[in-house]
Amino acid sequence: MTTNITFTMVKPDAVEANNIGPILAKINQAGFKIEAMKYMRLSKEQAGQFYIIHKDRPFYGELVEYMSSGPIVAAVLSKSNAVADYRKLIGATDPSKAEEGTIRKLFAKSIAANAVHGSDSDENAQIEADFFFSKLERF
Ligand code: UDP
Ligand code: MG
C-alpha cells in the first residue's frame, strides 16, 4: 500500500495531563513517521474554522471553547494506510466505547475531552495538514 498522511492534534486535556510524550510514543511505536509538528494555542476563530463541518451540531460551541482553552500539539503523520490505521490506533470518539490499548481508552477524559484528533479521510487529512502547516514546515 502506498504511504499517505493523516493529521492529528494532542488536545488540551492530554497536554494538561502531561500526556504529550506517552501519546507520541504510541504514535511512533505504531509505525507512523512525523512529517510536521508544532506546539501552539488555537484562537476561538481558528478552532471554529478547523471544526466548521460540525457548526450545526449541538456540541459545536463547547468544542470550540474547549479546543481553544489551552495549548495543543498539531502534527502530520505518514504511514501506509495512514488515515484508517490512525483511527484504529486512537479508538472511538467516546472513550468509554474505545477498545483497550487505544490512545483514547488510555488517555481521554470524556467524549469531548478525548485526548486526540485524527482525520477521517484522505481528503480531510490534506485540508487539515494545509490548515496548520506550510510546505516549508513539512519534511
Ligand atoms: N464531540 C463532542 N460531543 C459529541 C461528539 C463529538 O464533544 O457528542 C467532540 C469530540 O471532541 C470529537 C469532536 O467533537 O473528537 C469531533 O467530533 P467527530 O464526530 O468528528 O469525532 P472524531 O472524528 O474526533 O472521533
Ligand atoms: Mg472527526
Side-chain angles (χ1 to χ4, degrees):
M1 193 163 305
T2 56
T3 297
N4 47 24
I5 64 147
T6 191
F7 171 79
T8 189
M9 283 186 278
V10 180
K11 294 184 176 183
D13 62 293
V15 172
E16 174 66 23
N18 283 341
N19 283 326
I20 297 172
I23 289 170
L24 293 181
K26 295 283 287 180
I27 288 170
N28 279 150
Q29 282 155 12
F32 292 88
K33 178 179 164 289
I34 294 166
E35 283 202 354
M37 178 168 282
K38 61 176 71 165
Y39 183 57
M40 61 178 293
R41 184 169 177 169
L42 293 168
S43 67
K44 277 188 202 176
E45 291 69 28
Q46 289 166 333
Q49 191 59 41
F50 182 82
Y51 281 111
I52 197 75
I53 50 164
H54 294 312
K55 69 177 185 330
D56 297 325
R57 308 272 290 275
F59 57 81
Y60 180 69
E62 277 176 46
L63 178 61
V64 170
E65 285 291 326
Y66 162 63
M67 288 302 296
S68 57
S69 68
I72 56 106
V73 174
V76 179
L77 309 175
S78 66
K79 184 185 178 297
S80 63
N81 205 29
V83 167
D85 284 3
Y86 194 63
R87 293 294 301 202
K88 197 162 166 40
L89 178 66
I90 68 177
T93 308
D94 180 349
S96 71
K97 295 181 182 142
E99 278 185 46
E100 290 300 327
T102 60
I103 290 174
R104 283 170 166 166
K105 185 69 174 190
L106 289 166
F107 302 112
K109 292 195 159 51
S110 67
I111 191 169
N114 60 1
V116 284
H117 170 81
S119 306
D120 63 7
S121 66
D122 288 343
E123 188 193 1
N124 284 335
Q126 284 297 341
I127 292 168
E128 292 169 0
D130 291 345
F131 183 85
F132 278 86
F133 298 100
S134 75
K135 284 196 177 70
L136 286 171
E137 295 173 308
R138 292 172 62 169
F139 308 99

